[in-house]
Amino acid sequence: GGAGGGGKKKKPLVAADRVTPFDRWLGLDKDLEAELNDGVDQDVTYVDPSDASNYVSLSLVKPMGIAFVENEGGCGGVFVDEVLDSGSAASASPVLARGDQLVAVGSTLVLGWEFDATLDAIKASDDSATKLVLFRGPTSFLYGPTKASEEWYQENLL
């Protein structure tokens, strides 16, 4: 039997350690947690970056109308901040979500790239439609110890 032992505790949210008892008393902790998890399904504890079903892939004509923002925390890479009504992404399927992590442009892996380099890769694509591959999950899995290898991306997504 495996009763007891292991004692794996779920790690608290990133900001949970910054929430003070006073915040809790005022009920602000719920807002802080909700803000952190904006657009992220809280029931998902682990999103496997080596599972192709956690990625979305779509081909878009320019202008795409996607506002990308660079990830914080030094891992590099960019994510979808907003899908603008004016671009091709607004009516695309699958629908892009805020927080989707850009992984590849065409057959180029842009994982961890700086913002400008990533946008240059999108601009440099001269196909009629540019293929984007995005990861739907937290950066801690995409860039952390569980990250997928470059070979895995080449074989499964690019």
Side-chain angles (χ1 to χ4, degrees):
K8 258 189 143 176
K9 280 170 70 179
K10 257 175 111 177
K11 278 185 116 174
L13 292 166
V14 181
D17 55 352
R18 293 191 216 120
V19 176
T20 65
F22 188 70
D23 291 334
R24 285 195 190 92
W25 185 71
L26 288 174
L28 297 176
D29 56 330
K30 301 283 180 277
D31 294 342
L32 291 168
E33 289 179 12
E35 197 173 296
L36 270 176
N37 290 317
D38 197 21
V40 177
D41 186 349
Q42 293 193 36
D43 297 331
V44 175
T45 45
Y46 174 65
V47 181
D48 187 354
S50 297
D51 179 349
S53 69
N54 291 322
Y55 292 81
V56 290
S57 176
L58 63 171
S59 292
L60 298 171
V61 290
K62 296 174 191 167
M64 297 176 180
I66 306 170
F68 287 107
V69 175
E70 191 160 1
N71 287 311
E72 292 177 9
C75 60
V78 299
F79 66 91
V80 175
D81 185 51
E82 189 183 356
V83 176
L84 309 170
D85 295 336
S86 57
S88 60
S91 57
S93 177
V95 177
L96 288 178
R98 183 170 187 260
D100 284 351
Q101 295 284 333
L102 183 61
V103 172
V105 177
S107 58
T108 306
L109 201 58
V110 296
L111 203 62
W113 284 23
E114 290 180 346
F115 184 79
D116 292 338
T118 307
L119 290 194
D120 287 345
I122 295 172
K123 288 179 196 157
S125 163
D126 51 11
D127 299 327
S128 58
T130 303
K131 179 182 165 191
L132 300 182
V133 178
L134 301 103
F135 175 69
R136 195 153 275 180
T139 54
S140 54
F141 303 137
L142 187 61
Y143 293 102
T146 59
K147 70 180 178 203
S149 68
E150 201 163 316
E151 293 76 35
W152 183 87
Y153 284 112
Q154 295 292 345
E155 291 166 18
N156 294 281
L157 295 174
L158 303 182

